[in-house]
Amino acid sequence: MHESRDSPYPVEVNDLHFARDGRSIFEGINLRLAKGSITAVMGPSGTGKTTLLRLIGGQLQPKCGSIVVMGANIVGMRQKPLYTLREKMGMLFQQSALLSDYTVFENVAFPLRAHTRLPERLIRDLVLMKLQQVGLRGARDLMPAQLSGGMARRVALARAIALDPDIVMYDEPFAGLDPISMGVIVKLLRTLNDALNLTSIIVSHDVAETSSIADFTYLLSGGKIVAEGTPEQLRHETNELARQFMLGLEDGPVPFHYPAPPMNTDFFQ
Amino acid sequence: MTRSAAKSKAAKKAAQAGFVLDQQKNRLICEGDWTIDGVASLEKLLRRVHWPSTQRWVLDARGISRMDTVGAWLLYRIVMKIPGGESLLQQSELPSWQRSLLDLVIENASQGMKPPVEQKLNAFGRLGLSTVRMADEMLDMLRFIGETSFHLGILMLKPWRIRFRQIFRTIQMAGVNALLIVGLISFLMGVVIAYQGGMTLERFGANFLVVELVSLTMLREMSPLLAAIIVAGRTGSAYTAEIGTMQVTDEIDALRMLGITPIEMLVIPKVTALLIALPLLTVYADITGIFGGMVVARWQLDVGFYDFISRLPQAVSISPKSFWVGLIKAPVFAMIIAIIGCYRGFKVDGSSESVGRETTASVVASIFFVILIDAVFSILFTRIDW
């Protein structure tokens, strides 16, 4: 695995097919995340963006295709190497998913305690450093319930980078935040990515925020990648769905109406 | 009638909407308040009308004082019943405020797509589906038990990874905090057994046999069962709810992504804690239950505390392993309760409703299995003559 660290693409997804409950979710997806970059995966709600992250994290198994993370194909990987690999991956969940019985400090210390045998003194310093990076060193003794949504997400971010991962995945990092918290998170993602030389993948449907920090964007819809490119390229994309999504048009390839019979048949008996 | 006049009239009381088919002049005359308040009578009218079959009708909607989408929709329906209704609607001269509403209705009425068809299964299909689901569930449960045993085994080899703090906390919650309720209930159970049986014994003058009655019943059957049922209700449900809620808030996924197996972090401490707590609770229930019997014996049956206790060894010697019969069951019950409680927690699918559903299922299933296994034990112990 050591040589593969130098691979220019820490994450490669090839011809990924995935179905759940008999419903096909991905039909042949190819993604490549360049080292040190921020890649955005955007798409309408319900296209399986979160599912994609779960697949990359090895929490779900695809029907076919390969997912190569840092040189190792995680499809069909055994539990032990998978858990070892996950120590190199951080993930920020949409709901922050902080452990509610633990303080902010303990939440960030949690992965350190679980995976390292560092002395308490060093753990303390490391945790406070991570909290400093997200601006919450002073909030170490609060419980998750006492945090605002934006703060909780920042703590979760500190936890996600606690083990200095190579890859960080963000699930809807901007959803449900006020403009100030949003600005803070946007800036944090970029700064952390550049400072720690991370490879980030952001799943989101906030076009403006995501485009402002992403180096490369994939647009996902109906189980396929419908467009890809830099945010600038995507803005000038001629693909109708890409246009609808980037500009937020109400009707288009993604219809306004959920399929329904004509009103005549519904109302005239 | 001008609109403003109509409005002031409608403000007093919504005029009922109505229409007349003038067969001589081939005119459809509509009038009144075609709004949600006024259209109630139209539905009845619609059913009574004899629809014409001739062409060339004229729509006269000048009498309509007000109209909303409901009214527009009904007007559309009415006109469409007349031959050539579509063109009649297009050609009629209507005020613009009516026209825009009607256009909206017409536009939406003819649009549509095939809705996604939901597959309906017949009785056989449903039976098959639920059989397959049940088999899946069993396999899943076996997998869970296997995984838990595997991790338990690992921890035996690497005892420094045991989470003592969590185990102690769980023992505190599952065991220590249950002392009051377990003690009270088994005390009452001792009272009931002694009282019910004692009345009969008294008639034969065999009062002192109450010692055998209470001690054997409590030691062999009642204490382990009572303790297990109370723990299933208190702790098993708490396990399910705790893990289920963590599932809803993504905490379980977060643990996995942090490289920690939820089994090691959540299930093992719970199972271990219950393996320690339930046998202790059982012994405690033995003591309080027998004490309950003693109290009844003392006041109802004239068997004093001293006599009761001094007879106890002799009483138990009828089947000397009674204490162990009860105690052996306790860890088995503990496993059942903890495993089912945790397993059900992981079955929560992300809605808060399913937390409640799985919690119920967990308590019901664990009590059922506790009693089932208890029956199996009864047969086993009889066979080996304990």
Side-chain angles (χ1 to χ4, degrees):
Chain A
M1 230 165 76
H2 280 280
E3 316 103 277
S4 60
R5 278 266 172 98
D6 303 326
S7 152
Y9 299 110
V11 177
E12 280 183 73
V13 175
N14 300 312
D15 192 33
L16 180 72
H17 286 74
F18 180 73
R20 186 156 46 192
D21 302 331
R23 202 167 69 92
S24 174
I25 296 186
F26 297 130
E27 295 163 349
I29 282 197
N30 296 292
L31 292 177
R32 281 201 300 192
L33 271 61
K35 192 167 172 56
S37 71
I38 296 183
T39 306
V41 175
M42 295 200 273
S45 318
T47 41
K49 300 189 297 290
T50 303
T51 310
L52 182 65
L53 290 191
R54 280 171 197 245
L55 281 161
I56 294 176
Q59 288 165 272
L60 297 171
Q61 286 294 325
K63 205 157 69 176
C64 64
S66 71
I67 300 167
V68 181
V69 178
M70 319 227 325
N73 187 357
I74 62 159
V75 175
M77 194 185 245
R78 294 180 68 89
Q79 207 181 41
K80 205 165 171 213
L82 184 60
Y83 272 87
T84 318
L85 191 61
R86 280 183 189 161
E87 290 171 30
K88 292 276 136 212
M89 300 157 111
M91 178 151 176
L92 184 72
F93 286 84
Q94 197 174 346
Q95 311 189 40
S96 302
L98 296 174
L99 300 169
S100 40
D101 304 342
Y102 291 7
T103 61
V104 164
F105 181 93
E106 284 301 322
N107 260 292
V108 181
F110 190 81
L112 292 167
R113 290 194 207 285
H115 293 299
T116 66
R117 300 265 223 122
L118 298 174
E120 191 53 34
R121 170 82 214 172
L122 196 55
I123 286 190
R124 179 184 170 276
D125 291 352
L126 276 172
V127 170
L128 292 186
M129 267 166 58
K130 300 294 173 193
L131 283 175
Q132 171 73 18
Q133 282 175 316
V134 297
L136 290 176
R137 190 161 46 86
R140 70 189 93 163
D141 293 326
L142 297 181
M143 296 302 283
Q146 296 171 288
L147 303 175
S148 71
M151 280 162 84
R153 212 160 287 177
R154 275 148 76 188
V155 175
L157 186 53
R159 184 178 66 176
I161 58 168
L163 285 171
D164 282 315
D166 295 303
I167 300 160
V168 187
M169 302 189 272
Y170 301 95
D171 188 2
E172 300 284 1
F174 313 119
L177 291 182
D178 66 82
I180 300 172
S181 311
M182 179 113 78
V184 170
I185 298 275
V186 169
K187 192 162 176 306
L188 259 179
L189 295 199
R190 188 76 246 184
T191 326
L192 286 177
N193 190 76
D194 297 348
L196 306 177
N197 193 23
L198 303 170
T199 304
S200 306
I201 172 165
I202 299 177
V203 147
S204 174
H205 47 231
D206 292 294
V207 175
E209 286 73 24
T210 313
S211 299
S212 71
I213 52 167
D215 298 311
F216 200 81
T217 308
Y218 290 96
L219 197 57
L220 199 63
S221 180
K224 292 200 169 70
I225 301 232
V226 290
E228 58 186 275
T230 62
E232 194 50 39
Q233 284 170 329
L234 232 61
R235 222 164 281 142
H236 303 295
E237 180 67 48
T238 48
N239 179 312
E240 264 196 74
L241 192 126
R243 266 178 53 78
Q244 187 193 1
F245 187 80
M246 297 301 283
L247 303 176
L249 308 174
E250 57 139 32
D251 213 351
V254 178
F256 171 70
H257 283 287
Y258 189 80
M263 270 171 71
N264 285 332
T265 57
D266 241 356
F267 292 100
F268 287 122
Q269 312 77 352
Chain B
M1 196 188 307
T2 61
R3 262 187 88 196
S4 59
K7 253 187 187 164
S8 64
K9 191 179 145 198
K12 275 176 232 146
K13 185 180 181 291
Q16 291 297 305
F19 66 91
V20 180
L21 282 163
D22 188 340
Q23 302 282 2
Q24 271 113 46
K25 292 185 189 158
N26 268 16
R27 286 167 79 87
L28 170 63
I29 305 160
C30 303
E31 57 195 7
D33 232 356
W34 287 59
T35 62
I36 194 151
D37 301 318
V39 296
S41 55
L42 273 182
E43 194 70 35
K44 254 182 264 164
L45 215 61
L46 262 171
R47 252 175 273 140
R48 266 186 281 142
V49 165
H50 195 73
W51 296 107
S53 48
T54 50
Q55 298 269 352
R56 296 187 178 283
W57 279 70
V58 178
L59 172 62
D60 178 2
R62 280 171 302 174
I64 295 179
S65 48
R66 295 202 302 167
M67 193 198 261
D68 62 9
T69 43
V70 181
W73 170 243
L74 279 163
L75 183 60
Y76 172 72
R77 277 179 63 179
I78 290 165
V79 175
M80 291 301 279
K81 296 249 186 189
I82 299 169
E86 191 113 24
S87 54
L88 172 56
L89 265 186
Q90 306 286 342
Q91 289 153 16
S92 301
E93 261 182 55
L94 297 167
S96 63
W97 56 277
Q98 288 184 11
R99 171 58 71 191
S100 57
L101 273 173
L102 264 173
D103 283 346
L104 190 66
V105 168
I106 293 168
E107 182 195 334
N108 275 286
S110 47
Q111 261 179 19
M113 272 182 263
K114 220 173 135 208
V117 196
E118 217 172 293
Q119 265 187 318
K120 284 248 166 71
L121 290 169
N122 58 14
F124 281 116
R126 282 198 301 272
L127 182 70
L129 190 67
S130 54
T131 311
V132 170
R133 284 222 179 109
M134 215 172 322
D136 271 355
E137 186 106 318
M138 301 266 230
L139 273 179
D140 227 27
M141 179 100 189
L142 275 180
R143 202 174 297 138
F144 185 77
I145 294 174
E147 212 172 332
T148 308
S149 322
F150 174 74
H151 281 280
L152 267 176
I154 288 187
L155 285 187
M156 299 275 181
L157 300 176
K158 300 178 182 171
W160 63 88
R161 277 173 63 182
I162 297 175
R163 293 165 189 273
F164 286 106
R165 218 177 58 177
Q166 256 165 326
I167 293 179
F168 288 137
R169 218 178 52 170
T170 317
I171 291 179
Q172 161 90 32
M173 287 192 301
V176 180
N177 295 354
L179 282 179
L180 186 69
I181 185 72
V182 170
L184 186 66
I185 289 184
S186 82
F187 175 84
L188 289 176
M189 194 47 84
V191 167
V192 170
I193 292 168
Y195 199 81
Q196 294 282 341
M199 293 292 110
T200 318
L201 291 174
E202 205 173 18
R203 245 189 283 162
F204 298 105
N207 291 13
F208 55 88
L209 280 180
V210 77
V211 184
E212 273 88 344
L213 178 69
V214 171
S215 58
L216 291 183
T217 324
M218 286 312 294
L219 290 180
R220 291 185 75 97
E221 279 301 327
M222 275 310 172
S223 302
L225 211 52
L226 274 179
I229 288 175
I230 294 167
V231 166
R234 277 186 91 248
T235 311
S237 58
Y239 285 0
T240 311
E242 185 192 326
I243 294 179
T245 314
M246 291 180 79
Q247 188 92 286
V248 172
T249 54
D250 279 350
E251 282 175 60
I252 303 275
D253 281 337
L255 281 181
R256 286 206 185 97
M257 284 310 296
L258 292 171
I260 296 152
T261 48
I263 302 237
E264 185 193 329
M265 159 92 186
L266 297 168
V267 179
I268 300 294
K270 290 182 164 54
V271 172
T272 324
L274 219 52
L275 276 176
I276 297 168
L278 192 55
L280 291 176
L281 278 180
T282 303
V283 174
Y284 171 72
D286 284 342
I287 297 168
T288 50
I290 291 174
F291 179 66
M294 273 166 70
V295 170
V296 175
R298 163 82 173 71
W299 273 281
Q300 285 285 321
L301 305 167
D302 293 323
V303 180
F305 283 171
Y306 178 80
D307 295 335
F308 196 107
I309 291 176
S310 54
R311 195 182 161 77
L312 209 53
Q314 194 197 333
V316 178
S317 70
I318 300 177
S319 71
K321 302 220 172 69
S322 291
F323 174 72
W324 293 110
V325 166
L327 202 57
I328 285 171
K329 292 192 230 178
V332 179
F333 291 167
M335 281 298 266
I336 293 174
I337 295 166
I339 296 265
I340 291 181
C342 296
Y343 171 74
R344 283 281 147 200
F346 284 108
K347 284 266 127 184
V348 168
D349 61 15
S351 67
S352 38
E353 183 215 343
S354 74
V355 177
R357 194 175 52 228
E358 295 299 336
T359 308
T360 311
S362 138
V363 175
V364 172
S366 47
I367 291 181
F368 171 76
F369 279 106
V370 161
I371 292 178
L372 185 77
I373 296 295
D374 190 52
V376 174
F377 268 124
S378 294
I379 298 169
L380 274 179
F381 285 132
T382 320
R383 283 285 167 85
I384 61 169
D385 213 17
W386 269 29

